Amino acid sequence: MDLNRFKPMDSTRVLFCVFSILAQILAEQEVENLSGLSTSPDKDIFVVRENGTTCLMAEFAVRIVVPFDVLAMNGIDLITEQALMTLPRGAEVQGKCGSTEAELQMSWNKDAYTFSLFFIKEAHNLSKGQDVVWKINKIQFAYDTNEPSHFGNAFNPEKHTASSHRLSAFVTPAGRSYECQAQQTISLISSDHQKGVTISMSEVRIQPFDIKSDFMFSEAYKCITDQREQLEEMLPLILGIILALIIVITLGVYHIRQKMTANQVQLPTDRSQYKNM
């Protein structure tokens, strides 16, 4: 058997493997936790970069409320208590970018807690054309009630996962970032006897797709709550301007009328004076 005929094929396979490894290395994604740069003590900042370019950015403050059972004093009944937690500054971050799907995952306390956001970009056919938007289509929170700092004396402690159901949150036009300072609450259903886990997010600025400049958000799309609050803040100013205009117009009309009255010929009230006119 001529072994030399296998050499070109083996070389091709080696080259293919080398190029595959290089492609994976070049496409490697970096995730950075920049929460230390935040001016707000509760707000975290995360950046996912691919090929040296920012592909996902997120800033937000999150508060998580998790119900859990403890044994009552009588040793028979169960009492439901609540664990309140926030995202720590030192959380470990993982992320994944894509053209239509993206993901951001934060873990802390030796993976006792994992908070995950899943993004999707989709197109909708409208009469005027195609409307492309992105949104959060899933939120998950995995937690371990064996962890004592938040789940002291938990009954039957174990790992659980709380997930959203048919979520469509932070819907934003493609190419723009989502911004909302107001608090927004999302309910998750836990594997722990279907208990409801509450996720509250505020000071939000997120963009998982189409970032044009490194470390910079695109034009913001503000949530309806922020738009309403901005209008409520501007309303007193608008009313003040309208009132000032009414006063100016009233004074102007009064001044013009007074001037016209002064220029009119004053007729004598005594008829005997008409002879001298």
Side-chain angles (χ1 to χ4, degrees), residues 264-277:
Q264 289 179 353
V265 178
Q266 298 292 327
L267 298 175
T269 55
D270 188 355
R271 290 189 178 185
S272 61
Q273 296 180 8
Y274 280 101
K275 296 178 181 179
N276 299 324
M277 292 180 64

Side-chain angles (χ1 to χ4, degrees), residues 156-173:
N156 193 22
E158 57 183 328
K159 292 183 178 180
H160 299 285
T161 300
S163 303
S164 59
H165 180 64
R166 295 182 180 178
L167 183 64
S168 181
F170 301 177
V171 180
T172 305

Side-chain angles (χ1 to χ4, degrees), residues 1-2 7 26 42 58 61 79 90-91 107 111 118 129 137 151 156 163 194 230 233 245 249 258:
M1 184 183 290
D2 187 5
K7 288 183 180 179
L26 290 173
D42 300 320
I79 300 174
S107 302
D111 293 333
F118 299 87
N137 67 325
F151 299 101
N156 193 22
S163 303
Q194 301 296 300
Q230 186 177 10
E233 290 176 359
L245 287 173
I249 292 171
Q258 287 291 101

Side-chain angles (χ1 to χ4, degrees), residues 34-48:
L34 304 179
S35 301
L37 302 177
S38 174
T39 55
S40 171
D42 300 320
K43 186 169 71 174
D44 298 282
I45 304 173
F46 306 106
V47 175
V48 180

Side-chain angles (χ1 to χ4, degrees), residues 15-146:
L15 287 172
F16 178 77
C17 292
V18 170
F19 281 123
S20 298
I21 293 170
L22 286 173
Q24 290 177 1
I25 292 172
L26 290 173
E28 186 177 354
Q29 294 177 338
E30 305 173 11
V31 184
E32 300 181 54
N33 186 342
L34 304 179
S35 301
L37 302 177
S38 174
T39 55
S40 171
D42 300 320
K43 186 169 71 174
D44 298 282
I45 304 173
F46 306 106
V47 175
V48 180
R49 307 181 80 235
E50 185 177 64
N51 298 331
T53 305
T54 303
C55 58
L56 188 155
M57 287 182 66
E59 299 180 3
F60 54 81
V62 63
R63 183 184 179 198
I64 306 170
V65 180
V66 184
F68 66 101
D69 293 330
V70 297
L71 202 60
M73 295 294 292
N74 60 16
I76 300 174
D77 299 325
L78 293 177
I79 300 174
T80 300
E81 295 188 355
Q82 290 186 333
L84 172 62
M85 61 192 76
T86 56
L87 198 62
R89 284 286 174 92
E92 296 181 4
V93 191
Q94 293 182 347
K96 183 173 66 175
C97 291
S99 57
T100 58
E101 294 183 1
E103 180 181 337
L104 185 63
Q105 186 181 91
M106 296 133 282
S107 302
W108 64 98
N109 278 28
K110 299 179 180 179
D111 293 333
Y113 309 105
T114 302
F115 179 60
S116 304
L117 301 173
F118 299 87
F119 307 91
I120 188 171
K121 184 165 71 170
E122 57 188 11
H124 301 281
N125 292 320
L126 303 174
S127 57
K128 62 180 180 180
Q130 205 173 53
D131 183 32
V132 183
V133 299
W134 67 261
K135 63 182 180 180
I136 295 179
N137 67 325
K138 187 179 181 181
I139 294 179
Q140 277 190 340
F141 180 62
Y143 59 99
D144 189 351
T145 52
N146 279 294

Side-chain angles (χ1 to χ4, degrees), residues 193-204:
H193 299 89
Q194 301 296 300
K195 287 184 173 64
V197 173
T198 302
I199 306 293
S200 298
M201 298 179 69
S202 59
E203 301 180 73
V204 176

Side-chain angles (χ1 to χ4, degrees), residues 232-250:
E232 290 175 353
E233 290 176 359
M234 292 178 62
L235 194 58
L237 177 62
I238 294 171
L239 292 175
I241 293 173
I242 292 173
L243 181 61
L245 287 173
I246 292 173
I247 293 173
V248 169
I249 292 171
T250 304

